[in-house]
Amino acid sequence: ELVHCRARRRFNRGLRRKPMALVKRLRKAKKEAPVGEKPEGIKTHLRNMIIVPEMIGSVVGVYNGKTFNGIEIKPDMVGFYLGEFSISYKPVRHGRPGMGASNSSRFIPLK
């Protein structure tokens, strides 16, 4: 078994038009790339696309709501979603003074 149950169910129900178009564009980019070089990056908003073995070696720009993060697809990524490799939020930095902090804790000495 290459992928988890949810992914198997999704493929059993068939690939829709947009994911199929992405796979075709990746094929074309891979075919046009010179031998031994990375193919041109293909931008996409399809964060819910499951990575299939055919995509290995491709470069995909996955949209995170603000920018496209370039991802080179490797064999151990098969079965994961594209969105898992393009974080869509800025991780919280706890313990930093900012908005809503008390006046004394907001002060940072300039040394």
Side-chain angles (χ1 to χ4, degrees):
E1 291 184 2
L2 204 59
V3 291
H4 49 88
C5 181
R6 166 53 50 197
R8 281 198 305 274
R9 175 177 163 78
R10 184 157 168 204
F11 286 121
N12 280 341
R13 293 173 64 83
L15 276 181
R16 300 287 190 271
R17 193 171 182 174
K18 280 190 176 175
M20 209 55 230
L22 174 64
V23 171
K24 282 181 184 172
R25 287 185 66 197
L26 289 171
R27 269 188 215 139
K28 185 179 175 203
K30 212 186 255 190
K31 194 167 62 176
E32 290 174 355
V35 179
E37 286 189 32
K38 289 182 191 174
E40 187 185 329
I42 301 295
K43 291 180 178 181
T44 182
H45 282 241
L46 298 176
R47 296 173 58 84
N48 64 349
M49 177 69 184
I50 297 164
I51 295 172
V52 291
E54 189 181 357
M55 297 169 137
I56 294 171
S58 300
V59 178
V60 183
V62 183
Y63 195 63
N64 67 1
K66 187 176 182 181
T67 58
F68 289 92
N69 294 340
I71 296 161
E72 187 182 352
I73 296 175
K74 296 179 173 60
D76 52 335
M77 292 180 178
V78 171
F80 288 91
Y81 291 94
L82 284 176
E84 292 182 66
F85 303 101
S86 177
I87 193 164
S88 60
Y89 62 92
K90 189 176 177 187
V92 178
R93 295 168 65 194
H94 293 280
R96 299 285 195 291
M99 287 294 289
S102 66
N103 273 344
S104 59
S105 68
R106 197 181 299 153
F107 174 72
I108 302 167
L110 293 170
K111 294 180 177 145

